[in-house]
Amino acid sequence: MNIGEIAQRAGVSRSTVSYVLSGKRPVSEATRSRIQAVIDELDYRPNANARALREGRTHTLGLVIPPASQRLTDMQLGFVASVVEAAARADLDVLLSPSGGDHDRSFERIVSGRRVDGVILMEIRLEDDRVARLRQSRLPFVTIGRTAEPHGMGWVDVDYAGLIARCVNHLADLGHRRVALVNRSAELVAAGYGPGHRALAGFSTAVAERGLTGVDVCCGDDAPAGEACVEQLLAAHPDVTAIATINEAALPGMQRALQAAGLVLPRDFSVTGVAARHWAEEFRPPMTAADVPIVDMGTEAVALLLEGITAPRTPPGHRLYSPPISLRSSTGPAPRR
């Protein structure tokens, strides 16, 4: 079934059917109703490519994710799900595309192939070539995370520097004098991964302001890495009594290492940080943490992108999330040693 057949059945021209479908020109209510009755009878659905050419839009958003060779963390999967759900509520499709490594051609097809109306970009580095490419393309985009100089671009992010500083202050208020930051992987931090650098900056500032002894270590994004990291940390720095972390994927392994060392939380050791709520609540005992509002951030990223698509002259919007620290059961007074 095509526009010509609809026009023949409704007794109108092909262009009149096109005007009804696109809304580009006014059509009398009687004619519109007659055409719509034929469309409903035949259950006609416009071809997506034809509609894109006609309207100048694809009704599809691109979501650029980390390389397919890397297993996505729960937080990353949460961002994907929240973007897809928010786009669906706006009657939009989402095209997933990995970037980095062997996937540069996939990213370039998203940018230059006219497949999407705009792009949401995840896992942002302080200096990010993908952002520079998107700026050059003039394709509307929003980032989850932000570069070192995010002026003139749309973004949503978590205030990792401020939140980790608050975690350190919470530990200092409990009497802890020697604390550690368990960061993301060394590879990510070396590549300029924004949250890793900002968390370290907040940690270093708070440690200095409170006169504490601080140790920062990098850790891979999985449970075995978390276990090995904390084992090595305790062996090298037995006087450390608390950890602040942004590496939620390593938490199960960190918990195993603390248990193997005979440390009971929060009597002997404290753990806090920034994590998705379910990670914090599944930790044993439940972890004092700033809960990352994943659904809100994905929803806001889609809203900002749609604003950039439909009102391109509007200055890009941004939002920095700084959720409160939820006091649970993993932090307590510093032990006497």
Side-chain angles (χ1 to χ4, degrees):
M1 183 57 59
N2 57 41
I3 288 179
E5 292 172 276
I6 294 173
Q8 184 177 11
R9 287 205 183 199
V12 298
S13 67
R14 291 171 59 95
S15 60
T16 302
V17 176
S18 290
Y19 297 151
V20 168
L21 291 172
S22 67
K24 286 189 173 181
R25 291 191 184 181
V27 176
S28 72
E29 188 58 39
T31 301
R32 179 183 298 277
S33 297
R34 191 163 72 251
I35 292 171
Q36 189 61 53
V38 173
I39 290 172
D40 293 342
E41 177 188 350
L42 299 176
D43 195 25
Y44 173 74
R45 295 290 183 271
N47 175 273
N49 290 333
R51 185 175 69 168
L53 287 171
R54 183 173 62 251
E55 299 179 0
R57 287 184 56 185
T58 66
H59 296 271
T60 301
L61 306 181
L63 177 58
V64 180
I65 61 177
S69 59
Q70 298 178 9
R71 185 173 63 85
L72 298 184
T73 67
D74 276 20
M75 187 178 293
Q76 291 166 343
L77 289 171
F79 283 131
V80 171
S82 64
V83 167
V84 170
E85 290 173 5
R89 289 194 293 271
D91 197 25
L92 300 171
D93 296 324
V94 175
L95 177 61
L96 297 182
S97 174
S99 69
D102 297 328
H103 302 287
D104 288 341
R105 286 182 296 176
S106 175
F107 174 68
E108 185 58 33
R109 284 194 296 270
I110 283 283
V111 175
S112 60
R114 307 176 75 91
R115 297 181 175 191
V116 299
D117 298 321
V119 171
I120 294 174
L121 190 62
M122 292 172 52
E123 299 297 283
I124 305 302
R125 302 182 180 113
L126 296 177
E127 302 293 335
D128 202 308
D129 291 341
R130 300 169 302 169
V131 171
R133 178 67 184 94
L134 284 165
R135 285 184 186 272
Q136 180 186 44
S137 74
R138 299 188 179 277
L139 184 68
F141 72 96
V142 170
T143 60
I144 298 179
R146 67 196 193 279
T147 60
E149 298 293 338
H151 309 298
M153 57 183 272
W155 54 268
V156 297
D157 201 1
V158 173
D159 182 13
Y160 282 99
L163 291 176
I164 285 296
R166 281 160 54 189
C167 288
V168 171
N169 283 319
H170 170 62
L171 294 172
D173 291 342
L174 291 169
H176 294 274
R177 306 303 301 168
R178 296 171 179 81
V179 299
L181 171 68
V182 176
N183 209 327
R184 298 287 295 276
S185 72
E187 293 79 10
L188 276 176
V189 174
Y193 179 61
H197 282 261
R198 292 188 172 102
L200 178 57
F203 178 79
S204 301
T205 298
V207 162
E209 289 177 348
R210 297 301 295 264
L212 309 182
T213 299
V215 178
D216 62 274
V217 295
C218 289
C219 178
D221 293 337
D222 55 43
E227 187 170 8
C229 176
V230 171
E231 286 176 354
Q232 295 166 11
L233 174 67
L234 295 176
H237 304 278
D239 53 350
V240 165
T241 60
I243 285 173
T245 185
I246 64 167
N247 195 330
E248 61 175 26
L251 282 172
M254 294 167 59
Q255 181 175 309
R256 287 200 297 267
L258 292 169
Q259 290 173 341
L263 297 173
V264 177
L265 275 62
R267 185 192 69 191
D268 307 318
F269 203 90
S270 290
V271 177
T272 184
V274 182
R277 175 176 294 177
H278 80 274
W279 277 112
E281 292 178 343
E282 291 173 6
F283 194 75
R284 289 295 175 266
M287 188 174 83
T288 293
D291 302 334
V292 176
I294 295 173
V295 173
D296 291 347
M297 292 178 67
T299 301
E300 182 69 7
V302 171
L304 290 174
L305 182 57
L306 291 180
E307 185 176 86
I309 292 169
T310 58
R313 294 185 179 181
T314 302
H318 61 270
R319 182 166 179 182
L320 185 63
Y321 289 81
S322 185
I325 293 178
S326 298
L327 297 176
R328 298 188 176 97
S329 307
S330 65
T331 53
R336 294 183 179 180
R337 293 183 179 176

